[in-house]
Amino acid sequence: MLKTGKPLRWRRLSSAGDDRHLLIPLDHSVSDGPVAPPGQWEGLLKALVAGGADGIIVHKGRARALTPDVLKGCALVVHLSASTACSSDVDAKVLVGDVEEAVALGADAVSVHVNIGSDTEGRQLSDLGAVARSCDTWGMPLIAMVYPRGPRIENPHDPALLAHIVNVAADLGADMVKTSVALPIDRMAEVVAHSPIPVLAAGGPPDGSDLIEYGTAVMAAGCRGLAVGRRIFSSPSPATLVSRLAAVVHGGAGVTDGMSMTTPSPYSTIVAGVA
């Protein structure tokens, strides 16, 4: 039974069944502060589901509070890492949950955050490896959120560095990796070409530029999907924005809009944000 668990859960991470993914991280309430007032939380989730999100990412406590039918066809990813903006080292992520808890919560996947170049990189890599071992035991897909962050990183958008990072995630047992976007964005194709596992592009342009064009560009570069949080849950109409992004992810908008991996993107000079 456990041997079939991972493929069954993996299938639920793509509502269209095309192995493309639009994930909405909502774990910001630990790192930065409230995502939505308690009375609006369920309404936000319903809007994300109605818009066509493939999955939401939350911490275990928030997962326990979910109304059983609120997600319907939307997958649940339980995030196992945490730190806060008040910490003396915001790049130092620690494990605050485990795979067994995620199984009990009915999760379809778990995620772990690692900051390459941080002062605590070694411990974070060790945690990723340990979680990967538990995921294999329990048949749980593992999403590694791996970013170049810390005092040793000169250019977090360097394609060669990001190609290294996605391979770290793969080699330590992740099934999918979420990471920053290379700049210029068309060079994200180089990162994807060197990755043994699917790559999710994190976040969007922090300068307020068009998120749909941004998503189109990263999908055209070969990413398997998007993980966008703040730009969605702070939107006046999350359902509408999710619906438009879902069309980009699942509708092949990166091709039909005339972009290719060799066509310069309108976002070739922006700085990619974090979900």
Side-chain angles (χ1 to χ4, degrees):
M1 181 174 63
L2 291 177
K3 289 183 179 179
T4 64
K6 185 173 284 192
L8 285 174
R9 291 185 176 100
W10 181 264
R11 171 61 184 81
R12 291 196 288 267
L13 289 171
S14 177
S15 59
D18 57 2
D19 279 334
R20 294 186 175 196
H21 316 272
L22 174 59
L23 302 184
I24 316 299
L26 299 170
D27 55 299
H28 303 70
S29 48
V30 169
S31 57
D32 301 314
V35 168
Q40 297 176 20
W41 179 255
E42 188 160 314
L44 172 61
L45 293 181
K46 289 179 178 179
L48 300 178
V49 173
D54 292 294
I56 62 163
I57 303 173
V58 295
H59 283 283
K60 60 184 180 182
R62 198 72 64 169
R64 290 192 187 110
L66 290 174
T67 302
D69 64 346
V70 70
L71 293 184
K72 297 182 180 178
C74 181
L76 171 64
V77 181
V78 174
H79 194 43
L80 305 183
S81 304
S83 69
T84 76
C86 303
S87 172
S88 60
D89 183 359
V90 296
D91 295 324
K93 298 293 181 177
V94 297
L95 290 181
V96 292
D98 57 40
V99 177
E100 290 84 350
E101 288 177 298
V103 170
L105 290 166
D108 299 296
V110 296
S111 56
V112 173
H113 188 136
V114 175
N115 287 321
I116 297 296
S118 67
D119 289 337
T120 59
E121 176 191 294
R123 187 187 68 216
Q124 294 177 54
L125 290 174
S126 177
D127 288 343
L128 176 60
V131 171
R133 182 170 60 249
S134 292
C135 283
D136 286 341
T137 299
W138 288 100
M140 181 69 73
L142 171 58
I143 302 170
M145 302 180 180
V146 189
Y147 302 100
R149 293 181 186 166
R152 295 158 192 83
I153 302 299
E154 294 183 4
N155 177 11
H157 304 290
D158 175 26
L161 174 60
L162 291 169
H164 180 191
I165 280 175
V166 296
N167 276 271
V168 169
D171 288 342
L172 294 188
D175 299 293
M176 185 155 57
V177 57
K178 169 192 170 191
T179 194
S180 305
V181 174
L183 292 180
I185 282 184
D186 55 288
R187 295 197 65 187
M188 194 65 186
E190 300 170 30
V191 179
V192 172
H194 285 92
S195 180
I197 58 178
V199 177
L200 293 182
D207 59 0
S209 301
D210 189 84
L211 186 59
I212 305 305
E213 290 186 30
Y214 170 84
T216 298
V218 296
M219 293 301 295
C223 290
R224 195 69 65 83
L226 302 169
V228 184
R230 186 176 291 105
R231 285 288 296 270
I232 288 177
F233 63 72
S234 63
S235 166
S237 181
T240 299
L241 185 52
V242 169
S243 178
R244 295 180 68 198
L245 285 172
V248 170
V249 170
H250 295 293
V255 175
T256 59
D257 285 359
M259 289 188 177
S260 70
M261 288 188 291
T262 58
T263 301
S265 160
Y267 288 87
S268 61
T269 60
I270 66 167
V271 177
V274 176

